[in-house]
């Protein structure tokens, strides 16, 4: 333990913070979708992958670069999410919630194997945009610009979404819809449109995380698979449907994971689940859960 | 859930015929079908029977059942290969591993309800996967290979596929009979009460927590048994057994066959194992087809094959 240098500690902290940024955006999307539709979106990892793939395809086939991909990919995947909700999930509103989970599980399998069938399993590189190449030497650590950018974007996106849900009028409609959709409908608000749009925003967030991740990890059809189970564990820790729980849970578990890598590397892939067990034993509803 | 169709007061007489027919089929089939293939089918059928006890009769969806199946397989493989234990002892150890893990998962998972519980089982199973992946005893990516089949009770040499087939068939029929007895016992009735309304079951004075924990443990034990049998038959335990895809497959089998029916898991396992066998040439597209089946089942065919037959014949199966 005494041999751990400041550089290694800071380096793992940074990696943890970056992973935490992805965890936060993904669990935020899950929390929004769960809060309004009561659907555990198992396709979330596949939609994250779709975001990364979309950026890669835009670059490879159309020469469209990172900055446009950052906007186009979430829109495309968000539109896909809306179609998914309208065409399939809307039919399951009245049956056991389990079926929504199983349906999205099926969709995830289809999406992943579709891309794996076409592009194989190998990762495909995606270049960091020129503006974000290089970095700053902070003395104790070299901070690449792109990594700082990820953390910045994700903080802005997360707290922007939190603000929109908790502090604006649209957000209050959303929250009212989760409590009593009939009542909100009677105020002349089209709940079906609201639900579809929210699902679109949730899936768009997953895609955004995918585009942000593309230059860091290479793009591959499986990039969402193992990430998803970690994100689910984080959502259990934060408290299902809690927006703040998802954001804070995402960042802090990324950091905890990074620190574990310094102290006891073998445990780093398990630590999130250990925290999940501890939280369930002490606060079954999750840290920010209401019930 | 899909079947409030089951009424325990209905005639059970024809179940005798169903079991007899199945026993005859089990006896005749190896003349036409490769025995190893049939044994694989029976292992997955047992796995699905265990899973269905939890989902079909108690309404609890676990997405972590591969952990029990895989833990059973790895334990049986390890004690048979490294300690040189006999096959019956190996299967006993594997089954015990399922039981212990089932109680541990159950204690944690039943603290949450509905889909929250599902996510807890998923997280726990993923943890088991990582532990198996990194454990020095599990052979990492290679798994545990060259597991000896050994000699059952020192009498029957299981290196012969046919001898092993007889053993597996007997165990399979016993598990099926046991699950039938269990679901039509007072305990089975209690399970359905919890499934249909937890608060009503509580108000009737039932201890819902104990009931859930018990069914969790039974389900995991059967899954562990299925996994350890598979390890002995194929002489290998691999990471696939503990992976999320296996948890998904057992859900798919149960859905295809019919959730909450006695024969559903058997039919579902037979259909899925057979189709995987014939579709193997399609490689990655098998997963695509599986995903597609998931979507179709959930949208249009929630009662499954056996559920459909029950509706047509108005008889429990």
């Amino acid at each position: 333990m005494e041999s751990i240098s400041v550089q290694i500690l800071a380096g793992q902290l940074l990696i943890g913070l970056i992973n935490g940024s992805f965890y936060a955006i993904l669990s935020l999307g899950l929390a929004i979708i769960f809060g309004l539709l009561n659907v555990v979106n198992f396709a979330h990892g596949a939609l994250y992958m779709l975001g990364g793939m979309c950026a890669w395809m835009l670059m490879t086939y159309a020469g469209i670069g990172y900055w446009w991909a950052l906007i186009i990919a979430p829109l495309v995947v968000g539109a896909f999410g809306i179609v998914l909700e309208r065409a399939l999930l809307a039919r399951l509103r009245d049956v056991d919630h389990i079926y929504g989970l199983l349906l999205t599980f099926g969709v995830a399998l289809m999406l992943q194997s579709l891309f794996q069938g076409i592009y194989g399993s190998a990762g495909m590189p995606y270049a960091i945009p020129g503006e974000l190449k290089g970095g700053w030497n902070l003395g104790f650590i070299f901070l690449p610009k792109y990594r700082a950018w990820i953390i910045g974007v994700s903080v802005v996106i997360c707290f922007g979404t939190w603000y929109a849900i908790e502090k604006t009028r649209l957000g209050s409609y959303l929250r009212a819809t989760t409590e009593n959709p009939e009542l909100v409908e009677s105020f002349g608000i089209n709940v079906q449109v609201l639900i579809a749009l929210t699902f679109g925003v949730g899936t768009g967030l997953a895609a955004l995380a995918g585009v942000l991740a593309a230059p860091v990890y290479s793009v591959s059809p499986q990039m969402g698979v193992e990430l998803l189970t970690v994100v689910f564990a984080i959502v259990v820790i934060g408290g299902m449907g809690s927006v703040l729980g998802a954001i804070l849970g995402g960042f802090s578990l990324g950091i905890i994971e990074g620190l574990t890598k310094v102290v006891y590397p073998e445990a780093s892939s398990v630590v999130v689940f250990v925290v999940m067990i501890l939280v369930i034993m002490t606060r079954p509803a999750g840290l920010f859960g209401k019930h | 859930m899909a079947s409030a169709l089951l009424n325990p007061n209905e005639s059970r007489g024809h179940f005798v015929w169903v079991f007899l027919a199945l026993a005859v089929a089990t006896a005749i089939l190896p003349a036409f079908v490769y025995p190893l293939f049939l044994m694989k089918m029976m292992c997955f059928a047992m796995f699905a029977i265990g899973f269905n006890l939890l989902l079909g009769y108690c309404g609890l969806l676990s997405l972590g059942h591969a952990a029990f199946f895989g833990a059973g397989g790895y334990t049986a493989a390890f004690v048979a290969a490294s300690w040189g234990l006999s096959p019956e002892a190996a299967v006993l150890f594997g089954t015990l591993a399922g039981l212990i893990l089932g109680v541990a998962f159950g204690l944690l998972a039943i603290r949450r309800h509905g889909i929250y519980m599902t996510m807890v089982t998923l997280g726990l199973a993923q943890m088991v996967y990582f532990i198996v992946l990194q454990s020095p005893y599990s052979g990492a990516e290679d798994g545990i290979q060259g597991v000896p089949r050994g000699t059952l009770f020192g009498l029957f040499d299981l290196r012969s596929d046919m001898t092993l087939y007889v053993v597996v068939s007997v165990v399979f029929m016993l598990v099926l009979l046991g699950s039938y007895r269990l679901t039509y016992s007072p305990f089975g009735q209690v399970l359905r009460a919890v499934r249909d309304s937890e608060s009503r079951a509580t108000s009737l004075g039932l201890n819902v927590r104990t009931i859930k924990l018990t069914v969790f443990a039974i389900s995991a034990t059967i899954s562990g048994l299925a996994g350890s049998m598979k390890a002995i038959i194929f002489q290998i335990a691999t990471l696939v057994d503990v992976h999320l895809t296996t948890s998904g497959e057992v859900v798919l089998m149960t859905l295809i066959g019919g959730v909450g029916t006695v024969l559903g898991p058997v039919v579902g396992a037979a259909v899925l194992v057979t189709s995987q066998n014939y579709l193997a040439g399609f490689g990655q597209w098998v997963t695509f087809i599986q995903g597609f089946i998931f979507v179709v089942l959930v949208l249009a065919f929630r009662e499954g094959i056996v559920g459909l037959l029950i509706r047509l014949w108005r008889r429990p199966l």
Side-chain angles (χ1 to χ4, degrees):
Chain A
M1 280 261 254
E2 65 280 353
S3 63
I4 295 168
S5 67
V6 182
Q7 277 87 349
I8 292 175
L9 195 67
Q12 288 301 335
L13 246 166
L14 182 61
I15 292 175
L17 208 54
I18 287 160
N19 284 336
S21 302
F22 295 129
Y23 295 159
I25 300 180
L26 288 171
S27 48
L28 174 65
L30 275 178
I32 293 173
I33 290 172
F34 180 80
L36 203 63
L37 288 91
N38 260 315
V39 167
V40 173
N41 183 21
F42 227 99
H44 217 67
L47 295 163
Y48 161 82
M49 178 272 291
L50 212 55
M53 287 299 303
C54 197
W56 181 85
M57 286 158 86
L58 284 171
M59 178 68 96
T60 311
Y61 300 127
I64 295 172
Y66 178 82
W67 299 106
W68 280 108
L70 211 51
I71 300 163
I72 296 172
L75 286 178
V76 169
V77 178
F80 176 75
I82 290 175
V83 172
L84 189 69
E85 200 282 325
R86 286 289 84 198
L88 305 178
L89 281 168
R91 294 163 194 263
L92 297 174
R93 206 59 50 75
D94 299 324
V95 297
D96 199 308
H97 298 331
I98 286 171
Y99 289 110
L101 187 157
L102 293 174
L103 182 111
T104 49
F105 187 69
V107 170
L109 286 182
M110 287 171 75
L111 285 175
Q112 267 143 19
S113 55
L114 183 70
F115 280 93
Q116 212 167 324
I118 298 171
Y119 294 104
S121 303
M124 296 169 289
Y126 188 92
I128 295 176
E131 296 87 335
L132 295 175
K133 280 192 179 132
W136 302 286
N137 195 344
L138 303 182
F140 61 98
I141 189 178
F142 179 77
L143 178 64
K145 278 187 196 165
Y146 189 76
R147 311 228 154 181
W149 159 252
I150 291 177
I151 297 166
V153 170
S154 112
V155 168
V156 169
I157 292 281
C158 286
F159 287 93
T161 315
W162 172 80
Y163 186 84
I165 291 173
E166 298 292 336
K167 304 286 177 202
T168 65
R169 172 156 293 213
L170 182 69
S172 68
Y173 290 152
L174 278 177
R175 281 177 290 128
T177 305
T178 63
E179 297 285 328
N180 191 340
E182 286 82 13
L183 190 73
V184 176
E185 192 115 73
S186 70
F187 285 148
I189 293 158
N190 192 332
V191 169
Q192 297 308 317
V193 170
L194 201 61
I195 288 176
L197 283 179
T198 310
F199 197 80
V201 170
T203 52
L205 280 174
L208 180 74
V211 182
L212 285 173
V216 184
Y217 312 104
S218 54
V219 180
S220 86
Q222 296 100 332
M223 64 193 271
V225 181
E226 253 152 40
L227 188 67
L228 186 67
T229 51
V230 174
V231 172
F232 275 158
I234 289 170
V235 167
V236 170
I237 293 166
M240 281 292 298
S242 160
V243 171
L244 204 59
I247 298 170
L248 297 179
F251 279 112
S252 49
L253 279 145
I255 294 169
I256 290 173
E257 206 180 55
L259 292 181
T260 312
K261 208 162 257 170
V262 181
V263 185
Y264 186 38
E266 291 81 8
S268 64
S269 50
V270 183
V271 69
V272 173
F273 304 109
V274 174
V275 174
M276 181 187 84
I277 291 173
L278 293 175
V279 169
I280 293 168
M281 290 201 299
T282 49
R283 278 184 66 100
L287 295 178
F288 294 84
K290 291 178 188 83
H291 309 292
Chain B
M1 298 297 327
S3 55
L5 293 152
L6 289 169
N7 179 353
N9 298 320
E10 273 185 70
S11 95
R12 305 179 199 175
H14 74 288
F15 264 118
V16 176
W17 298 109
V18 171
F19 282 114
L20 278 179
L22 213 57
V24 171
T26 319
I28 296 173
L29 272 173
F32 306 98
V33 190
Y34 197 40
L36 265 181
F37 178 67
L38 289 172
M39 287 192 269
K40 183 179 180 187
M41 226 182 238
M42 289 193 276
C43 282
F44 278 106
M46 286 191 274
F47 184 25
I49 287 170
F51 174 81
N52 185 40
L53 277 178
L54 197 59
L55 175 63
Y57 295 96
C58 205
L60 303 174
L61 172 64
S62 153
L63 268 175
H65 256 53
F68 312 133
F69 186 73
Y74 268 98
T75 308
F78 179 77
V79 298
S82 295
W83 295 353
L85 293 190
S86 61
E88 67 274 11
V91 169
L92 187 69
F93 268 91
T95 312
L96 267 176
L99 169 66
I100 293 166
L101 208 55
V103 172
F105 273 37
L107 278 171
L108 289 164
I110 61 174
R111 296 173 75 103
R112 305 297 330 255
H113 293 270
I115 34 193
Y116 308 93
M117 192 218 77
T118 302
M119 292 172 67
V120 173
T121 59
L122 176 73
L124 292 172
Q126 194 66 10
M127 190 164 108
V128 171
Y129 173 78
F130 281 124
I131 291 172
V132 170
L133 180 67
Q134 293 174 350
S135 160
Y137 304 105
S138 61
E141 307 282 343
D142 300 329
I144 302 178
Q145 300 179 357
V147 179
R149 281 185 180 174
T151 313
L152 186 71
F153 303 123
L155 292 172
F156 307 104
D157 190 348
L158 297 185
R159 277 175 301 181
S160 146
D161 275 359
M162 274 321 292
T163 314
L164 186 60
Y165 179 81
V166 173
V167 174
V168 175
S169 307
V170 169
V171 174
F172 165 68
M173 287 308 286
L174 286 176
V175 167
L176 185 61
L177 270 171
S179 82
Y180 164 71
R181 289 288 300 168
L182 189 77
T183 48
Y184 285 94
S185 69
F187 182 69
Q189 194 67 32
V190 165
L191 288 185
R192 271 172 284 229
V194 172
R195 175 190 70 189
D196 295 338
S197 168
E198 205 174 311
S199 46
R200 190 170 63 202
T202 309
S203 70
L204 284 170
L206 296 171
N207 188 340
V208 172
R209 279 181 62 98
T210 314
I211 294 162
K212 281 186 179 177
L213 187 62
T214 311
V215 69
F216 222 106
I218 297 173
S219 175
T221 309
I222 299 175
S223 306
L225 170 68
S228 40
M229 300 285 291
K230 183 173 169 276
I232 298 293
I233 295 165
F234 291 97
Q235 305 183 277
I236 185 170
T238 68
L239 279 177
V240 178
D241 299 338
V242 266
H243 196 256
L244 173 62
T245 46
T246 302
S247 293
E249 271 175 16
V250 77
V251 182
L252 192 53
M253 286 176 201
T254 312
L255 278 182
I256 291 175
V259 175
T261 64
V262 174
L263 281 181
V266 181
V267 173
V271 169
L272 199 72
V273 172
T274 310
S275 60
Q276 278 177 343
N277 202 47
Y278 285 103
L279 296 174
F282 290 97
Q284 198 51 48
W285 299 107
V286 177
T287 320
F288 185 84
I289 297 165
Q290 267 180 17
F292 184 72
I293 298 173
F294 253 113
V295 172
V296 171
L297 283 170
V298 168
L299 283 178
F301 196 52
R302 282 192 283 275
E303 58 194 336
I305 295 170
V306 175
L308 183 71
L309 293 177
I310 290 173
R311 189 152 57 84
L312 294 177
W313 291 347
R314 296 160 191 276
R315 290 265 175 93
L317 280 172

